[in-house]
Amino acid sequence: MKNTILAIAIAGGFAALPIASHAANNSGFFINGNVGQSSFDKGKYSDDDTGYGVNAGYRWAVAPNFLLGVEGGYVDLGEVSPKRGYGPLGKAELSGWTLGVNGHWNLTDNWYLSGRGGYFRGDLKGGYLIGGLVPARVDDNSNKWYAGAGFGYDFSNNVSVGLNYDYYKAEKSGLKLDSDLVSVSAEYRF
């Protein structure tokens, strides 16, 4: 369901491109940060925590209302407890580094849609059951992907705030810790 919502949001952003106004945006570097609620709903772990992330990158103006860029950053999706009955597995944690592409589409002079996606090198810590009986611990790296969409308000060509949904795929050695993050972000462009 979450992946379907993400696909609809991104498709809606592309569909809105032809009707968008021509806001004055320039190519340049950016830095942003976000904080919100992360949610784990996989296997033996189903819980929420506070998550945050930071990104930096560069965007090129490829149309008057559309910027396309590259980004790199770090995300910490928090720590969660296992479901009732799986206490021996211990808590799970997920954080990691991102490297990807992003887009910024101005719908009006101030309102925008955004999208992003790429490589996620997650640091997983948690447990799973071998054969459904024997607990095993995992402390390893996962090489998967992330994707996200958002919308927000540009206060100027340099400052904006937004609301975002991001999904992080993370799996290694029998441990799945896929997570999503609904967050508020702030960005500065220079």
Side-chain angles (χ1 to χ4, degrees):
M1 178 68 177
K2 294 174 188 173
N3 291 337
T4 303
I5 292 170
L6 175 64
I8 290 169
I10 291 172
F14 282 116
L17 282 175
I19 62 170
S21 72
H22 297 279
N25 277 319
N26 300 316
S27 299
F29 290 98
F30 69 89
I31 185 166
N32 60 38
N34 60 318
V35 64
Q37 183 175 2
S38 61
S39 178
F40 295 81
D41 191 16
K42 292 290 181 187
K44 311 301 183 247
Y45 295 97
S46 181
D47 203 356
D48 301 327
D49 198 9
T50 300
Y52 67 89
V54 293
N55 279 308
Y58 190 90
R59 286 193 198 104
W60 293 268
V62 295
N65 63 329
F66 178 58
L67 292 111
L68 185 63
V70 294
E71 67 181 14
Y74 177 80
V75 63
D76 186 333
L77 297 163
E79 179 181 273
V80 294
S81 298
K83 292 179 184 177
R84 183 187 305 247
Y86 295 100
L89 296 180
K91 292 187 176 187
E93 299 175 45
L94 179 60
S95 61
W97 297 95
T98 60
L99 181 63
V101 297
N102 63 70
H104 186 99
W105 301 275
N106 285 91
L107 302 173
T108 69
D109 285 343
N110 298 103
W111 291 98
Y112 71 86
L113 290 176
S114 65
R116 67 203 135 274
Y119 170 74
F120 175 54
R121 180 161 175 86
D123 179 19
L124 292 89
K125 294 181 179 131
Y128 68 99
L129 296 174
I130 300 172
L133 301 171
V134 180
R137 289 291 295 167
V138 174
D139 186 352
D140 207 345
N141 292 313
S142 167
N143 296 301
K144 296 294 183 183
W145 55 270
Y146 74 99
F151 69 94
Y153 188 82
D154 289 326
F155 289 99
S156 69
N157 280 342
N158 301 97
V159 177
S160 65
V161 295
L163 181 63
N164 306 288
Y165 171 82
D166 297 294
Y167 183 82
Y168 298 89
K169 182 81 172 161
E171 179 181 351
K172 188 71 172 195
S173 301
L175 176 64
K176 288 185 178 185
L177 283 182
D178 300 348
S179 177
D180 57 8
L181 176 65
V182 176
S183 63
V184 174
S185 64
E187 180 172 278
Y188 180 76
R189 296 175 291 277
F190 47 98

